[in-house]
Amino acid sequence: MAANEHVELGRAALRVGDAATARAAFERGEPTPEVLEGLAAASYVLAEYPRAIEEFERAYAGHRLQGDGAGAARVARTLGYMYGTTAGDWAVANGWIARAKTLLGQLPHSSERGWVALTEGMFAEARATKEAAFHTAIEIGRDTDDQNLTFATMSYLGASLVHGDHTEEGMVLLDEALAAVAGGEVEDFIIIEEIFCQLFSACEHAQDVHRAEQWIRVGEQIAERRGLPAVSAYCHTHYGGILTAAGRWPEADAALTEAVRLWALGKRTLKAGALIRLADLRIKQGRYDEAASLLEDQNDGEAVLPRAALHLARGESTIALDLLERTARKADPRSSECIPLLAQLVEAQLACGEDPQQTIADLAACAETHRTPYTTALVALARAHAAQDDPRVWLRDALDGFTRTQLPFEMSLCRLDLARACRQESPEVAVAEARAALAVFTKLQAARYVDAASAVLRELGQKVAPPRSSGQVLTRREAEVLRLLGDGLSNPEIAERLFISRKTVEHHVGNLLLKLGLRNRAEATAYAVRHEPAGN
């Protein structure tokens, strides 16, 4: 077989994401710069990032030796991307990008200038600089008829606009880029993956689950038709965030766990995003110890909300309040990113017995500027929780907004609040709302919320199946608390015995009830007595 046939076979396999076949094809050829580029691309798809960098560097040397300026510039730009995204070595990344620009100074009509502009835009901190680079890349892509460049950059520009609160304008560009994928104008798997990743990033930011699910369905059809990897293989971090919001928690768990694995293999820039999203899922699942472990050493801005949620869930309200207040003081009050922050600040203020009315006013003003069903729902929910009288009108407004945004977990939290609010005057409505919430919490395996909904139904005289053990093992401290419960100690007495706070004791009791499938302290005490080791 001729040398160029190995290259063509390898490139064809890469276009459909079959990296193993691509590598085998390239390895049958001589180590030319083209072959080394192909091997590096295969290593990248296989998540073997250090190997990909080494192969790209060899390809660069080969192109320079042959006097191929365009090839050398292409690889230099790719190395800039690799060092930035997989190694987090920004100085090295910038050096390679600068090298690509120097080489392209002799090639004024090459589409590689557009790829360099795209890469520069990806790494630019200022949004105006970022978007100017993207516009340049799109213009070059159109002038040189490089459709991969045009549509890849269009997706990056669209996502940037969404993150900059120009949501409608950005989503139009993302929809167009994905339509080009669906229409066969983009065939390269790596480019398709990038376009979908930008969509997931934008939809996660805008809480646009409906749009994401539409394109996921189309993406799965494209994958089946063209023999590409499933959409679940794309951009695990943002895909996992979308799946969490959509109530597809087992799939979200798998995607985010894979994102963490990829980080461990070397894609360091995924670290914070993947760990933070997985921690957020664990908090919703009631697995607080695991969430705390995932959030350790995470000081990224994205970590603030899950860290505060974890503190609130553990009864550490003052810590949550301090964290949220410090963050709110530094935040841009006009940005849409302030909305969930202020909504959680309201919850922390209520938990600490503080008046949240000014925060609610700030939240409502910001949400009015960025009006969506989701932001409207957050304002309504804050007003419901702060209401001195009947909160049901606000709760129904919140439920309507979360329903339109297709967020089943948030919808069920509203239903549970409604059930509590309706207990006295409309018990039949309360039962219906609590049962609807329980069904979703059970499907999501959100054990703590299953228990909460079950408790409301029991108070309403309804029969509910007893809780099941989560299967998790007690920590050493939880086992100590269980033993002391068996000895008949109260929470204050346990706190004194173990030199911990009463709130911490309550946290440990809640955890062990969940893990053992018990409903209350009495059952825990009986369990401790039954399982007391012989001879004690």
Side-chain angles (χ1 to χ4, degrees):
M1 185 181 291
N4 63 338
E5 290 184 63
H6 293 303
V7 173
E8 289 307 315
L9 284 173
R11 287 174 177 169
L14 278 177
R15 279 194 291 274
V16 295
D18 187 354
T21 298
R23 174 178 282 174
F26 288 124
E27 285 177 340
R28 289 197 293 270
E30 293 296 318
T32 63
E34 290 79 13
V35 165
L36 289 167
E37 272 193 77
L39 286 169
S43 296
Y44 174 79
V45 175
L46 291 167
E48 297 174 13
Y49 305 120
R51 176 172 173 172
I53 286 174
E54 186 268 336
E55 288 164 338
F56 274 125
E57 288 176 339
R58 289 171 60 199
Y60 173 82
H63 283 305
R64 291 294 289 151
L65 192 63
Q66 293 181 358
D68 181 357
R74 177 177 62 250
V75 176
R77 179 263 305 172
T78 305
L79 280 164
Y81 169 81
M82 290 289 295
Y83 272 107
T85 60
T86 71
D89 294 337
W90 301 108
V92 181
N94 288 331
W96 278 112
I97 293 170
R99 191 76 195 103
K101 291 175 73 174
T102 299
L103 291 166
L104 287 168
Q106 304 167 13
L107 301 164
H109 303 297
S110 170
S111 68
E112 274 304 314
R113 293 181 301 113
W115 287 104
V116 170
L118 168 58
T119 307
E120 286 186 304
M122 289 164 57
F123 296 154
E125 292 187 9
R127 195 165 299 283
T129 304
K130 180 187 292 291
E131 291 177 3
F134 291 154
H135 280 293
T136 297
I138 290 172
E139 184 179 347
I140 293 171
R142 287 171 173 162
D143 288 346
T144 59
D145 198 28
D146 188 333
Q147 293 183 320
N148 282 344
L149 171 61
T150 300
F151 294 116
T153 309
M154 190 178 290
S155 71
Y156 274 95
L157 177 57
S160 180
L161 288 166
V162 171
H163 282 270
D165 294 329
H166 297 284
T167 304
E168 291 185 17
E169 185 182 352
M171 289 301 188
V172 167
L173 291 175
L174 283 159
D175 288 343
E176 182 179 350
L178 284 151
V181 171
E185 294 176 79
V186 180
E187 295 185 346
D188 189 313
F189 164 70
I190 295 175
I191 303 300
I192 294 171
E193 180 182 25
E194 287 294 309
I195 292 172
F196 267 98
C197 192
Q198 295 311 304
L199 170 78
F200 295 150
S201 171
C203 288
E204 184 185 26
H205 177 83
Q207 291 288 325
D208 195 344
V209 172
H210 185 53
R211 175 179 263 104
E213 289 196 317
Q214 288 182 55
W215 281 116
I216 287 170
R217 287 195 297 272
V218 171
E220 296 295 4
Q221 293 167 5
I222 294 169
E224 184 176 354
R225 189 165 65 245
R226 299 190 201 171
L228 297 172
V231 171
S232 58
Y234 304 160
C235 195
H236 300 283
T237 297
H238 293 300
Y239 184 61
I242 286 290
L243 292 173
T244 298
R248 294 163 60 177
W249 288 6
E251 296 169 80
D253 203 322
L256 293 169
T257 300
E258 176 65 6
V260 173
R261 184 188 73 83
L262 289 175
W263 161 71
L265 290 173
K267 203 156 188 178
R268 290 180 174 85
T269 52
L270 288 177
K271 177 184 179 181
L275 293 177
I276 289 165
R277 285 165 179 77
L278 188 54
D280 179 61
L281 176 59
R282 292 288 179 263
I283 293 165
K284 288 179 168 68
Q285 292 169 325
R287 295 159 64 174
Y288 299 148
D289 290 344
E290 291 177 58
S293 177
L294 290 165
L295 290 171
E296 245 176 58
D297 303 321
Q298 293 303 313
N299 298 314
D300 187 277
E302 278 191 293
V304 168
L305 293 182
R307 282 172 58 201
L310 181 60
H311 288 308
L312 286 170
R314 286 178 155 178
E316 301 161 352
S317 307
T318 54
I319 300 175
L321 181 61
D322 177 68
L323 173 62
L324 292 165
E325 285 181 337
R326 284 188 286 112
T327 306
R329 281 195 292 270
K330 295 183 289 186
D332 179 358
R334 298 164 298 178
S335 168
S336 64
E337 292 180 356
C338 246
I339 296 172
L341 173 64
L342 292 172
Q344 198 168 63
L345 179 55
V346 169
E347 300 302 322
Q349 289 170 331
L350 288 168
C352 292
E354 295 194 5
D355 183 0
Q357 293 306 320
Q358 182 57 54
T359 305
I360 292 174
D362 294 340
L363 169 63
C366 191
E368 186 61 34
T369 304
H370 307 286
R371 192 175 181 83
T372 67
Y374 175 68
T375 60
T376 301
L378 287 180
V379 174
L381 188 61
R383 285 175 168 154
H385 287 170
Q388 299 296 317
D389 47 11
D390 190 348
R392 285 179 291 180
V393 172
W394 292 120
L395 287 172
R396 294 202 181 281
D397 285 348
L399 178 58
D400 179 63
F402 290 136
T403 301
R404 291 173 62 194
T405 316
Q406 299 185 10
L407 301 175
F409 179 68
E410 287 77 4
M411 289 161 54
S412 299
L413 291 176
C414 279
R415 290 191 184 283
L416 185 56
D417 283 341
L418 267 170
R420 290 171 176 142
C422 292
R423 276 181 296 194
Q424 299 301 320
E425 294 184 17
S426 307
E428 298 88 353
V429 174
V431 168
E433 297 291 2
R435 286 206 177 278
L438 177 61
V440 174
F441 292 143
T442 301
K443 180 181 176 182
L444 295 175
Q445 298 180 350
R448 289 182 180 275
Y449 297 100
V450 167
D451 291 346
S454 299
V456 171
L457 285 165
R458 290 191 192 96
E459 290 173 13
L460 290 162
Q462 303 295 303
K463 289 185 177 181
V464 184
R468 292 182 296 178
S469 167
S470 71
Q472 295 176 273
V473 178
L474 297 186
T475 65
R476 180 183 60 81
R477 181 64 86 186
E478 288 162 358
E480 288 177 329
V481 171
L482 178 63
R483 178 178 58 79
L484 294 174
L485 285 172
D487 291 342
L489 272 66
S490 66
N491 279 8
E493 290 169 332
I494 294 172
E496 185 176 351
R497 180 76 61 88
L498 297 179
F499 303 102
I500 58 179
S501 71
R502 296 183 185 184
K503 282 288 185 185
T504 302
V505 175
E506 292 173 10
H507 163 66
H508 288 314
V509 171
N511 269 351
L512 68 87
L513 291 176
L514 170 66
K515 291 180 178 180
L516 298 175
L518 305 172
R519 285 177 287 198
N520 49 47
R521 288 175 59 89
E523 288 191 5
T525 301
Y527 180 95
V529 171
R530 287 198 309 272
H531 293 80
E532 184 177 2
N536 282 10

